[in-house]
Amino acid sequence: SVSEKFFDGWKVCVLEKVKSKVFDLDICPKRKQTILDSERNDLLTLKEHFIMSSVDKASNNVSFICKKFYLDNISNELNNTVAYKFVNGKEEEIVKKHAQFCNKFNIPVNDHCLPFIHMLPKFHKPRIDYRYIAAGIKSSLKVLAKILTGVFKLADRTLRFMDSFKFHFKNTSGYWVAKNKDTTLSHLNYLNNSDSARSVYSFDFKKLYTNLPHGKVIEKINDLLDRCFMDKKAEFVSINKSYHASWTSVKKKNCWTFKLDEVKELFSFLLDNIYVKFRGRLYKQVVGIPMGCDCAPLVADLFLHWYEHDFISKGVINKESYIHVLKFASRYIDDLNTPNIPSNVVDIICNNIYPNDLEIVMTNESNKTTTFLDLDISVNNGHFDTKLYDKRRDFKFNVVSLPNLRSNIPNKQAYGIFKGELFRICKSSSNSNVFINDVKLLINKLTNQKFEKNKLYNTLKSFIQCKPACLLRHWHNYNVNEFM
C-alpha cells in the first residue's frame, strides 16, 4: 500500500492552484462609499457627546444617551449601591489569581481580562429605567461559568424529575420553573377543560439579579447539589467540551470530571470573584450576580426553586389547603404566574415564600387579566383566553423588528421568518378571531417593510394546509380570504 505522505507534494500543488483561482475570482464587488468625509466629522462629533446603545427588549433599535448622563448612571450604580465595592488593585493580579485557581482543575483561561459594565435603557417601563450588564463575552472566568452552566442545567433536570415523583400523588407541585410559555399554556388548557377559570395573578421580582445574597445563594445551591448527587448516587459529574453535563461513577477522558465538593468549590470561587471594570477602576460585586454571566439565570432559578420547594413541602406536611391552588404556578426566572388562587394566597406569595432580601410585587391591577411572557391572559365566562402579547407594543415609538426587504436578507429566509411568526401567534391564540386579527397586523407590518402580499398569502395558505396542531384546536375551517 502507498503511504499518505507519498501524495504530500501533489496535495500542496493542487491547493496552491485552487488558491490562485479563488483569488482571481471577482467575488467581492467594490462597495460604494457610504459615508462622506463631512458626514464622518459629524459622526465623530456625535460620538464625543452621546453613547449609542441598543434598547432593552428591542435590540434592533438604537438609543442616543448623553455621555455624561450615561457615565454618571453607571458610576452611581457602582459607588452608591450595596451591590458593588471599589477594589484598589490591578486587573493583572486578579486575572492571575483566577488563572491559578482554574489551572488547579485544568480549566483553561482563554481571555486574560475582566468584564466591563454597560447600561441599556428600558423604554417599555412607565418610567424609563436602566439595565446594567457585565459584558462577560471575554473574561478570565468565562469557561468556568460555562462549565457551571452545564452542571446547573443537569441539576435543574434532575430536580424536576425528583419533584414530579415526590408530589405526584399530593395534588400539588414543588417545581414551578418554566422554560417557556408552554408550561403556562398547558396549565391554562387543563383548567379550561373543566371551565373552572376564576382568576389569574402575575408577580415580578424587582431587581432580582442584583439583590441575591451571596451567602444564602451558596447555601441553597449547595443543598440542591447534595440532593442531586444523593438521588443519582453519583460520585462525579462530567462535562464535555460542548459543556453538556452528565452523572457518572467513573472519570471520563476528554471531559472535566468533578466531585460534589469540587463543584461547590468552583461555584463559591465564581461567586466570590465577580469583578467589573469601569473607566480604569475595578469593582467587586458583593451582592447579586451580574447579568451577562452564563450561569446567572440558572443560579437565580435554582435559588428561588429552593424556597418554593421548601414552602410546598412544609405545606404538605401541615396539610395546608393553599398547596393545591399552587399546583398550576409557573415561574420564568423573575416572572411568576398563578391562575385560580384566592386573595389570601396572594399575600402568602408576597410575604411568606421568598427571603426578605428579595422584593416581589403583583403586576396586574385586575385578577381577570394579566400578561406573562408573551401571553396576554384574560378570564371570560370560566375560560382562560390567551393571545400574543408583545412588550414592544408598549414602546412610545415604532420599534424596528422583523426583516426589512430593503436590506440584503435573502427573500427565502425572510418569508420563512413570517411562517415562524405564524406558529408563534397560533400557539398563543385561544380562538380563531384573535389569530386572524394578529395575523392581519403582522401582514400589514411586513407589507410596509417591502414584503410582497401575494407571497405572504401563499405562505399563509401553505401554513393553513399543513394543519398544525395549534391551528386545529381552534375548531375553525380557515380560508386565506379571511386574512385579506
Side-chain angles (χ1 to χ4, degrees), residues 229-296:
F229 271 84
M230 186 179 299
D231 179 74
K232 291 298 178 180
K233 298 178 181 178
E235 188 175 353
F236 303 101
V237 60
S238 176
I239 305 95
N240 63 21
K241 301 305 177 183
S242 300
Y243 305 103
H244 177 79
S246 58
W247 305 113
T248 179
S249 56
V250 293
K251 289 194 173 185
K252 294 184 178 180
K253 292 183 178 179
N254 301 320
C255 290
W256 292 289
T257 307
F258 305 113
K259 293 182 177 180
L260 171 60
D261 290 340
E262 290 174 328
V263 175
K264 291 180 179 179
E265 185 179 355
L266 292 174
F267 179 56
S268 295
F269 182 84
L270 178 70
L271 217 58
D272 195 43
N273 285 270
I274 300 172
Y275 294 89
V276 295
K277 55 186 178 183
F278 176 68
R279 304 188 78 179
R281 293 161 65 93
L282 300 179
Y283 295 86
K284 182 178 181 180
Q285 188 160 0
V286 293
V287 178
I289 50 179
M291 297 183 72
C293 179
D294 291 76
C295 61

Side-chain angles (χ1 to χ4, degrees), residues 17 19 30 68 106 126 160 165 170 174 199 206 279 284 297 325 346 382 390 397 452 462:
K17 288 186 176 182
K19 189 182 292 184
K30 294 181 179 179
K68 184 179 185 305
N106 295 318
R160 183 172 75 248
F165 179 79
K170 305 296 184 182
S199 63
K206 288 200 168 185
R279 304 188 78 179
K284 182 178 181 180
V325 297
V346 173
D390 192 342
F397 55 87
E452 296 179 29
S462 170

Side-chain angles (χ1 to χ4, degrees), residues 87 137 161 214 319 323 382 387 406 410 416 445 458:
V87 175
I137 294 177
F161 288 120
H214 285 188
K319 298 181 179 180
I323 63 170
K387 62 181 179 180
R406 294 187 186 93
K445 179 180 178 67
N458 287 337

Side-chain angles (χ1 to χ4, degrees), residues 419-430:
K419 196 166 188 176
E421 285 295 300
L422 291 176
F423 274 103
R424 179 168 169 250
I425 295 171
C426 183
K427 184 180 283 190
S428 302
S429 304
S430 58

Side-chain angles (χ1 to χ4, degrees), residues 117-135:
I117 191 168
H118 64 101
M119 180 181 84
L120 300 180
K122 299 198 279 190
F123 287 121
H124 59 283
K125 298 288 186 182
R127 180 183 176 186
I128 296 177
D129 201 357
Y130 301 93
R131 188 185 301 277
Y132 302 93
I133 298 177

